[in-house]
Amino acid sequence: MPDSYSFAVDVFQSIGERLSAKAAELELMTGTAAFHGWLVGEAFLACKGRQASYPFCEVEATPTYASEEVASGGDSDRNAGDLRVGGPDGGANHCWLFAEFVVVGDGAGREWQPKVVAAAERLKRLGWKKSAALVVAVGVNTTGSLSDGVGWDCPALTAPVTIPLPDGGSVSVTAYDIKCDGADTLTRA
């Protein structure tokens, strides 16, 4: 049975592999209003496609925080994440992942910073210590790390997935495990 870190990396890499295989579609979607929703759909399909063989006990798109027994954070607060995946044996050994995707742009402006901070704050409400609570940052043509732009010291879960686009440029996908106490952040054992 995998540990929670290995499980989270496996889920993240499954998503990265699917996005890499769809580089042409990815290029078409960047910059559109539908990009975020498309990313969430592709992440769901990547995990759903592996559900029988991994096996995942659950794959859900747009899970609510209430399903994790987290009260609403207020009227203006988003009350659903983007993806929840449970590992083998019903998620035993803390093999659960709850993720929010944030499109961070090309590094030119920092309009995305409040979205990243808000996603991280929502994930902290889970209070998870051993399962993965991920901000998945998707940067188009970025060269720096997200921590360079947001001003936090949260390490990436694993190496980013960089996807070259057919007509030039690239998309970088990086996952950050968000915890209330940084000492609980998932890292390689």
Side-chain angles (χ1 to χ4, degrees), residues 62-131:
T62 63
T64 65
Y65 280 90
S67 69
E68 301 304 313
E69 300 179 11
V70 174
S72 171
D75 292 340
S76 64
D77 192 40
R78 193 173 130 196
N79 289 309
D82 291 321
L83 181 69
R84 181 178 56 222
V85 182
D89 300 322
N93 202 26
H94 302 285
C95 291
W96 284 96
L97 179 142
F98 197 101
E100 292 216 23
F101 288 72
V102 180
V103 178
V104 298
D106 64 4
R110 299 287 184 217
E111 300 84 24
W112 46 265
Q113 281 180 319
K115 293 178 185 178
V116 172
V117 171
E121 290 303 313
R122 284 189 300 273
L123 288 165
K124 285 180 183 177
R125 288 186 1 225
L126 292 170
W128 288 5
K129 293 183 177 189
K130 296 182 180 179
S131 293

Side-chain angles (χ1 to χ4, degrees), residues 4-97:
S4 55
Y5 172 80
S6 298
F7 173 74
V9 170
D10 286 346
V11 170
F12 175 70
Q13 289 174 339
S14 295
I15 294 166
E17 289 167 7
R18 181 166 179 99
L19 292 175
S20 293
K22 296 190 162 266
E25 291 92 343
L26 179 62
E27 183 169 50
L28 292 173
M29 294 303 295
T30 61
T32 68
F35 188 39
H36 177 267
W38 183 83
L39 287 168
V40 172
E42 291 300 320
F44 169 79
L45 291 172
C47 296
K48 198 68 172 170
R50 289 195 65 202
Q51 188 168 4
S53 66
Y54 191 80
F56 296 138
C57 66
E58 173 187 324
V59 178
E60 183 179 351
T62 63
T64 65
Y65 280 90
S67 69
E68 301 304 313
E69 300 179 11
V70 174
S72 171
D75 292 340
S76 64
D77 192 40
R78 193 173 130 196
N79 289 309
D82 291 321
L83 181 69
R84 181 178 56 222
V85 182
D89 300 322
N93 202 26
H94 302 285
C95 291
W96 284 96
L97 179 142

